[in-house]
Amino acid sequence: MSDFPDNVATETSSPQSQQGGSSFQLASISMDLGLIKSIPGILMLAEIGLGLLQWALIASASSLIPAYGWVMFVAVTLWLLTIILFFMLFFGAYHKLSSVPWPMLVMVYNAMATVLYLTAFLVNAASVAPYISTYFYGHMAAAAFFGIVVTLLYGASTFFSYLAWKGDGGNAASNSGPA
């Protein structure tokens, strides 16, 4: 027993040193910088930016049609939820909440966002005509254009989320993070 320290060799490593420098850690906060460079991360940033532009265009016009309430609800709600999801992925919340099936959750979120944005786009596009003789016609037409662009972005995110989910073998109980 007296020679115990002489016979034991230990080696430690941190998870960040094994990841090839794709994350930055400050105290207990870890940021996944690789997310910003990945296709799903770029799509999320585009959804956030163009979603903001869409609801800002609608909010800047005086609404004569109650249907724009649905468009604003979808645009603002999904914009906020996408920001929250982005920061949860960026700061590695999926490591702390390993019981959540993240790849499936992200896939279902993106699929639902695609369907909701599609309905909002259809309402927006169908309701542009009454504004044709007003100052806000350009706002509403641009909002409809950005609505379909954001719908397509969410559709692409759904596709890549599906690929990430299938990459886990379709295991809903997987604790790996989304791609």
Side-chain angles (χ1 to χ4, degrees), residues 75-96:
V76 173
T77 302
L78 291 177
W79 180 73
L80 289 171
L81 290 174
T82 302
I83 289 173
I84 291 168
L85 180 62
F86 178 79
F87 282 115
M88 288 181 74
L89 296 176
F90 184 68
F91 289 116
Y94 58 90
H95 293 299
K96 296 190 184 339

Side-chain angles (χ1 to χ4, degrees), residues 55-70:
W55 71 257
L57 284 166
I58 294 172
S60 68
S62 62
S63 180
L64 305 173
I65 301 169
Y68 279 110
W70 170 250

Side-chain angles (χ1 to χ4, degrees), residues 144-159:
F145 170 76
F146 287 113
I148 192 61
V149 170
V150 174
T151 301
L152 294 173
L153 288 170
Y154 276 112
S157 290
T158 303
F159 173 73

Side-chain angles (χ1 to χ4, degrees), residues 62-157:
S62 62
S63 180
L64 305 173
I65 301 169
Y68 279 110
W70 170 250
V71 178
M72 280 294 291
F73 171 76
V74 169
V76 173
T77 302
L78 291 177
W79 180 73
L80 289 171
L81 290 174
T82 302
I83 289 173
I84 291 168
L85 180 62
F86 178 79
F87 282 115
M88 288 181 74
L89 296 176
F90 184 68
F91 289 116
Y94 58 90
H95 293 299
K96 296 190 184 339
L97 300 170
S98 61
S99 63
V100 176
W102 285 100
M104 186 180 3
L105 178 79
V106 172
M107 181 184 65
V108 169
Y109 169 75
N110 285 323
M112 289 185 353
T114 302
V115 171
L116 290 173
Y117 243 106
L118 180 62
T119 62
F121 159 71
L122 292 173
V123 167
N124 190 359
S127 303
V128 170
Y131 288 94
I132 201 158
S133 62
T134 68
Y135 173 76
F136 299 112
Y137 176 73
H139 292 179
M140 294 307 185
F145 170 76
F146 287 113
I148 192 61
V149 170
V150 174
T151 301
L152 294 173
L153 288 170
Y154 276 112
S157 290

